Amino acid sequence: MSRSFLIGIFFAVLVLLIVSCDSNPAKEPRTTARPKYKIGYMICNSEEDTLRRFRPLTAYLSAELGVDFEAVAIDTVEYTKHVDDLDFTHTNSLLYIIMQRFHGVEIIAGEKSGPLGSHTRGAIVTLAKSDIDSLADLRGKKMVFGPALGPVSYMSQMDILQKAGIDPENDLAFYAIPPGSFKHEKVIYGVLFGKYEAGAIPVGDLEKMSRDGRIDKDDFRVLAEGETIPYCNFARTQRVDDALAKRLEQALVGLKKRVTVEVDGEVVKVLERAEIDGYDAIKDSDFDIVREMAKRTNMPPYQEY
Amino acid sequence: MDWLDRTSIIAIACLVTAAFVVTFLHRSDGAPTETPKTASRAPTSNLQLSEIKNQEKKIRNLMESQSLEQAERLAMKMILKYPDNGEPYMLLGDIYLRKQDVMKALNRYRDAVDRNPDYLDKKTPLFQGKKLKSVILEGLSELEKKVNSSDDDELGKDRKLIYYLQRRIAGACG
């Protein structure tokens, strides 16, 4: 064989080798789609109100983390049925401890609102002009509670009554939970208009409704308040990556009042629209007080049948 | 042929071989990805998996509506039908946890994990590691209380169970 022929073959094979490294028709073209995650927002007053408040926050988190978050509003009573389909949860502290125990959910951040920050208290109120001066006077009276899975609209008040030696099942004439949406407000109106002699509310509600001009808080008297406990919070489900959860925590805790986002062609302040003051770092052990209260009041996740 | 000719022939042969190897490797890269791990390591047909999934949904609905006795009966039936599948045991564990029997729940979780290690693998959709860790801590706390009540036989068994699950979790990808 001639030398030039061999050299020619050598270079031809070399070129073939280089070309075969570059071409790969079996590979699919790369897409630039962002990962998608679901945030389940527990319905506070109504589905419409919940999404109105939290869609801007969801949009902010999407932009901040470079992923696509989908906001899903879920009824409180139905929430635990859907938790395994979610990536992140936004619920009250009672739902959090239920999901933590039964579904391995982990806390990310506590939501700040009002003078107690990321905490709150439950209260039992009556009309200022009523003759009910103490908890003992509630025997034989009618009382209205907020949502049954509300830590400071039901559980805290049950705890208060039990500590005062009052059995709600036997010592009250009657107790009810309003149907439908806006339960917290219905409790206050129920007491104001005399349908019930006492009501169970979160401590901030009187102040809030008074500020809005819907009631005069001086028309009410607070009979008792419960323990201060954590309230609304963000948490993650078991399927979420640690790194993403950390980034979400940083985005929430670092969220300032001046931050805005565009939603449906409108530029809104994220925290103002969500009606909150910000987020705090919080630990699972901070919820032990809620767990102890749930055990005392035979509430989920410690309910015995 | 002199040494240069021989060297050239050998070099060409090596390059041809390398070209074939590289082409073959690239073809393998473009091949469809492996099918995701199935729900159970035990050999289970697609029909059985579908039935297990349906039963699981039914049992979880019963659990959510507090019909724990009925849920337990269905889970027991599932165990008889699919004794090597981890899911009925995981469901039973969840039912016993709701019944506030932590040690009984941990026993069933152990059975589930032994049949399907995917429950401890964070990379699989079945991962339950965080829930199991939390329940183990509860079990440890109960064990500490039992230490004071001096029930030695129960203590020994419970301690063994908790240590076993802790070891499994420590060695898993969770």
Side-chain angles (χ1 to χ4, degrees):
Chain A
M1 270 188 245
S2 74
R3 191 158 295 170
S4 52
F5 177 73
L6 283 174
I7 291 168
I9 295 286
F10 174 82
F11 280 107
V13 172
L14 188 62
V15 166
L16 182 69
L17 186 63
I18 290 166
V19 165
S20 71
C21 286
D22 271 342
S23 68
N24 193 348
K27 254 192 200 162
E28 287 178 3
R30 278 185 199 157
T31 60
T32 53
R34 305 203 305 185
K36 293 185 194 309
Y37 299 96
K38 274 189 189 169
I39 302 177
Y41 290 96
M42 181 198 78
I43 292 174
C44 295
N45 286 318
S46 69
E47 181 176 348
E48 191 188 353
D49 183 62
T50 301
L51 288 175
R52 180 193 63 82
R53 286 176 61 195
F54 292 107
R55 277 183 63 226
L57 174 63
T58 309
Y60 157 75
L61 291 172
S62 294
E64 196 68 9
L65 270 64
V67 300
D68 283 334
F69 284 115
E70 180 192 350
V72 179
I74 306 172
D75 186 71
T76 311
V77 172
E78 302 287 312
Y79 199 98
T80 53
K81 289 182 190 171
H82 300 278
V83 65
D84 292 331
D85 298 327
L86 303 173
D87 299 288
F88 296 96
T89 63
H90 178 269
T91 64
N92 63 42
S93 44
L94 178 56
L95 265 183
Y96 165 69
I97 64 167
I98 293 170
M99 293 189 297
Q100 188 275 328
R101 189 170 193 240
F102 293 153
H103 299 274
V105 160
E106 278 188 341
I107 194 68
I108 288 182
E111 190 167 274
K112 294 191 288 186
S113 180
L116 295 174
S118 57
H119 287 59
T120 188
R121 282 196 294 270
I124 295 178
V125 298
T126 184
L127 282 176
K129 65 184 182 190
S130 88
D131 54 5
I132 299 172
D133 293 317
S134 69
L135 291 172
D137 295 337
L138 286 175
R139 290 177 200 276
K141 301 289 191 294
K142 293 178 293 184
M143 188 166 168
V144 61
F145 292 84
L149 284 177
V152 287
S153 58
Y154 183 89
M155 184 173 73
S156 179
Q157 288 81 0
M158 283 292 179
D159 193 38
I160 292 169
L161 291 172
Q162 277 175 211
K163 282 177 177 173
I166 296 173
D167 177 2
E169 302 293 327
N170 295 313
D171 295 334
L172 296 176
F174 172 71
Y175 76 83
I177 295 171
S181 55
F182 292 90
K183 285 183 171 56
H184 294 288
E185 294 184 5
K186 284 174 181 172
V187 168
I188 292 176
Y189 287 130
V191 174
L192 181 64
F193 297 128
K195 189 167 180 185
Y196 301 96
E197 279 125 331
I201 59 166
V203 289
D205 275 15
L206 278 183
E207 197 64 53
K208 198 173 164 191
M209 285 179 74
S210 185
R211 214 172 37 237
D212 294 343
R214 288 184 284 167
I215 59 160
D216 181 353
K217 66 179 177 152
D218 293 334
D219 287 338
F220 295 85
R221 178 168 57 238
V222 176
L223 282 181
E225 288 184 6
E227 292 175 311
T228 304
I229 60 173
Y231 200 21
C232 297
N233 59 83
F234 264 95
R236 58 182 275 202
T237 63
Q238 293 185 108
R239 69 188 197 188
V240 167
D241 180 62
D242 289 345
L244 180 68
K246 190 71 193 165
R247 288 174 60 215
L248 187 87
E249 181 191 345
Q250 286 165 348
L252 287 170
V253 172
L255 179 54
K256 301 282 183 263
K257 289 195 172 188
R258 63 176 181 273
V259 170
T260 59
V261 76
E262 188 176 326
V263 175
D264 298 333
E266 188 188 357
V267 175
V268 298
K269 284 186 178 172
V270 173
L271 287 177
E272 190 179 298
R273 174 60 73 85
E275 298 173 17
I276 57 179
D277 300 325
Y279 289 91
D280 261 342
I282 197 167
K283 302 187 300 295
D284 181 74
S285 56
D286 292 340
F287 291 83
D288 286 348
I289 189 171
V290 184
R291 292 182 175 101
E292 291 309 312
M293 197 183 281
K295 285 176 188 171
R296 288 197 298 270
T297 54
N298 196 32
M299 289 285 289
Y302 303 104
Q303 194 170 23
E304 293 190 40
Y305 301 95
Chain B
M1 256 195 294
D2 64 7
W3 68 270
L4 189 57
D5 291 326
R6 282 194 287 271
T7 308
S8 302
I9 290 167
I10 290 166
I12 288 164
C14 288
L15 278 172
V16 168
T17 311
F20 274 116
V21 167
V22 167
T23 308
F24 176 75
L25 282 174
H26 276 231
R27 286 235 170 108
S28 302
D29 281 350
T33 51
E34 287 176 13
T35 50
K37 286 179 188 174
T38 55
S40 171
R41 289 287 170 88
T44 317
S45 69
N46 283 338
L47 188 63
Q48 286 173 331
L49 279 173
S50 169
E51 196 184 326
I52 289 168
K53 200 79 195 152
N54 288 336
Q55 279 294 91
E56 185 211 340
K57 208 171 170 180
K58 205 171 170 182
I59 291 170
R60 290 218 178 270
N61 282 337
L62 286 168
M63 282 160 61
E64 290 296 330
S65 57
Q66 322 301 343
S67 305
L68 297 180
E69 295 301 327
Q70 203 177 343
E72 187 179 349
R73 278 195 296 273
L74 281 181
M76 293 290 220
K77 275 188 188 167
M78 251 180 106
I79 285 176
L80 289 173
K81 203 168 178 186
Y82 306 107
D84 295 326
N85 190 288
E87 193 56 36
Y89 296 94
M90 185 58 71
L91 287 167
L92 258 185
D94 290 345
I95 290 164
Y96 291 140
L97 189 61
R98 279 158 175 75
K99 283 182 154 189
Q100 313 306 328
D101 195 334
V102 174
M103 296 318 297
K104 223 168 164 179
L106 283 172
N107 266 300
R108 296 289 79 80
Y109 289 145
R110 174 189 177 144
D111 292 333
V113 156
D114 282 346
R115 281 158 179 77
N116 191 353
D118 283 357
Y119 289 120
L120 299 179
D121 188 347
K122 203 171 181 186
K123 294 191 276 304
T124 73
L126 293 180
F127 179 64
Q128 297 291 305
K130 295 190 192 292
K131 178 185 81 185
L132 293 177
K133 267 188 202 171
S134 169
V135 181
I136 285 169
L137 285 173
E138 257 196 80
L140 270 171
S141 170
E142 267 197 27
L143 204 57
E144 277 167 20
K145 287 179 195 161
K146 275 184 183 174
V147 164
N148 299 329
S149 70
S150 64
D151 190 347
D152 287 339
D153 287 344
E154 262 324 287
L155 262 182
K157 273 192 293 186
D158 292 346
R159 210 184 274 133
K160 267 188 175 172
L161 169 64
I162 285 177
Y163 293 160
Y164 173 81
L165 282 170
Q166 281 183 316
R167 281 199 304 274
R168 288 299 304 268
I169 286 177
C173 307

